Amino acid sequence: MRTEVVCTQCESRFPREELFMALSVPVEDSIESGLRKLFRPMHLREKDQYACERCFKGLTKAEQERHNAAIRAENERKEKAKKKASAEEKRSLNCVYSDAVVSTSISRLGGTLALHLLRFQSDGRDFQKVTRSVAFPMSLDLAPFVSKDVLREYEMARGLSALQARFPHVQRDRLLRFFEHASGDLQKAERMLIGMEEKGALNGEDDALLEFKAGQGASDGSMPGITTCRSSGHTSCDVSPAGFSPVSSVMKTNDVVGEGQEPLPALKRELVGIVAHRGSLHGGHYIAYVRDDSRPNSWFRCDDEDVERVDKEYVLRCQSEVYMLFYE
């Protein structure tokens, strides 16, 4: 899980990666609505402003001293007004408080995604169970909830697979570098490869062949940034395009689907299990539903030692009791 804070004043980004066993999803009308609420950007304003150290570092030394003096004076006023200000009420030194946006996304996918519905919520005195019905899909598309890097990784994987089918004689790492320098544009990468193939330099030993600028192919099949020495016939290339960050920083060659390699985890997941809860916080019972992979639309209902076969429609009627869901 990636949580990223963006300061609206200096536009600095502060990402943080966290591991999770299950996603705790708010109880909404559907699982998709709950996930959208979970991953909805949060705006930090007024008393919830973000303490940005980079904004502070951007001040001159004199401005930093005046800023810290103002913060100390403000904290002292709070101390006198309330005798003892809490740590939350005091403002920290060496940072500037500014508005910020907090966004959350899934930064890495595993084999099984566990979703935990927040059915037990506090009313200020005790925890109560939320019995609201929650519609859950048999197929869940995770594309709206993953990070841009993950989406780019999958786009590159699909593009590289297409290039492998078109140019099976070219090494995969070379195809990946072509795709990188084409900024992920499949058609542009194909034009580059065709241009190099026509020059007879596609499988050359010189790695400089792959250092070129992404651009449109000329009508004669030549590529921008690629030059050929008339005397030797050796082809050389210009440097990679400025401002383009190679996808290899996100996806290594062996992360892409290929011969003898593990495929990327699917973005579209199928429901394989459910845990339903009956009763209240102080007394209840759990029932598990497990999909039978060998028979479509067939599930097992596991109630302690009692196991029976049920159909998909029976499982879908558990909307007011569903507590955990497992997608693969």
Side-chain angles (χ1 to χ4, degrees):
M1 177 91 69
R2 173 179 295 170
T3 301
E4 185 175 63
V5 180
V6 180
C7 174
T8 58
Q9 184 167 322
C10 68
E11 298 184 349
S12 295
R13 296 178 177 270
F14 304 92
R16 183 182 64 191
E17 298 283 343
E18 296 177 303
L19 297 176
F20 68 91
M21 296 295 292
L23 289 179
S24 295
V25 182
V27 177
E28 297 291 325
D29 290 337
S30 67
I31 288 295
E32 294 93 335
S33 297
L35 287 171
R36 284 193 291 270
K37 184 175 182 179
L38 174 65
F39 291 108
R40 185 172 58 197
M42 179 173 59
H43 296 269
L44 304 181
R45 302 188 181 98
E46 299 176 353
K47 65 177 182 179
D48 296 322
Q49 283 184 318
Y50 180 69
C52 183
E53 295 180 355
R54 291 187 185 175
C55 282
F56 182 81
K57 292 178 180 179
L59 302 175
T60 65
K61 187 173 182 179
E63 289 172 334
Q64 290 178 350
E65 292 175 353
R66 287 196 297 270
H67 178 79
N68 280 340
I71 294 295
R72 290 191 189 95
E74 182 182 351
N75 288 339
E76 289 174 2
R77 285 195 299 271
K78 290 179 179 179
E79 285 280 358
K80 292 178 181 179
K82 294 189 176 182
K83 293 185 179 179
K84 186 176 181 181
S86 65
E88 291 77 12
E89 292 173 325
K90 291 182 179 180
R91 292 211 160 191
S92 302
L93 301 177
N94 302 326
C95 59
V96 174
Y97 285 82
S98 60
D99 292 351
V101 179
V102 182
S103 60
T104 307
S105 60
I106 300 173
S107 57
R108 184 162 294 277
L109 293 168
T112 302
L113 176 67
L115 303 180
H116 160 236
L117 286 173
L118 296 172
R119 286 208 177 270
F120 298 102
Q121 299 180 9
S122 174
D123 60 3
R125 295 174 299 176
D126 195 6
F127 279 87
Q128 301 293 330
K129 182 180 178 181
V130 180
T131 58
R132 182 177 183 177
S133 293
V134 179
F136 51 88
M138 286 293 170
S139 297
L140 179 63
D141 186 7
L142 298 179
F145 313 114
V146 299
S147 66
K148 292 180 180 179
D149 285 345
V150 171
L151 286 178
R152 184 161 174 258
E153 183 178 355
Y154 279 78
E155 290 172 0
M156 294 296 288
R158 287 191 291 268
L160 185 56
S161 295
L163 290 178
Q164 284 183 283
R166 173 66 176 80
F167 303 94
H169 55 288
V170 182
Q171 295 179 358
R172 294 180 65 256
D173 59 341
R174 287 177 174 254
L175 290 176
L176 178 59
R177 293 183 65 187
F178 269 97
F179 204 21
E180 286 178 351
H181 287 283
S183 302
D185 188 324
L186 179 59
Q187 293 183 348
K188 188 179 293 185
E190 287 181 341
R191 288 196 297 270
M192 291 176 176
L193 286 160
I194 291 171
M196 296 293 285
E197 191 173 44
E198 290 176 350
K199 290 178 177 291
L202 191 55
N203 288 311
E205 295 297 327
D206 189 356
D207 280 345
L209 295 175
L210 303 177
E211 302 295 335
F212 52 82
K213 289 183 178 179
Q216 295 289 335
S219 58
D220 61 355
S222 62
M223 305 305 299
I226 301 177
T227 57
T228 302
C229 177
R230 295 184 181 276
S231 59
S232 65
H234 176 74
T235 304
S236 62
C237 303
D238 206 341
V239 296
S240 59
F244 176 68
S245 177
V247 73
S248 54
S249 61
V250 179
M251 177 189 68
K252 303 300 182 185
T253 305
N254 57 8
D255 290 329
V256 186
V257 179
E259 185 178 353
Q261 294 179 335
E262 292 293 327
L264 291 170
L267 283 175
K268 190 172 183 179
R269 301 299 180 93
E270 301 298 323
L271 185 65
V272 296
I274 289 175
V275 174
H277 180 268
R278 292 181 175 178
S280 66
L281 174 67
H282 305 289
H285 183 66
Y286 291 98
I287 298 175
Y289 295 86
V290 182
R291 191 185 71 184
D292 182 0
D293 290 335
S294 64
R295 296 176 60 178
N297 300 326
S298 182
W299 289 67
F300 293 107
R301 180 181 182 273
C302 307
D303 183 358
D304 292 337
E305 69 275 8
D306 297 327
V307 179
E308 62 176 325
R309 191 181 293 275
V310 296
D311 57 20
K312 180 178 69 174
E313 286 67 30
Y314 186 99
V315 176
L316 290 173
R317 290 197 290 269
C318 301
Q319 295 183 358
S320 63
E321 299 175 346
V322 60
Y323 183 58
M324 293 194 71
L325 304 100
F326 301 88
Y327 286 90
E328 290 184 351

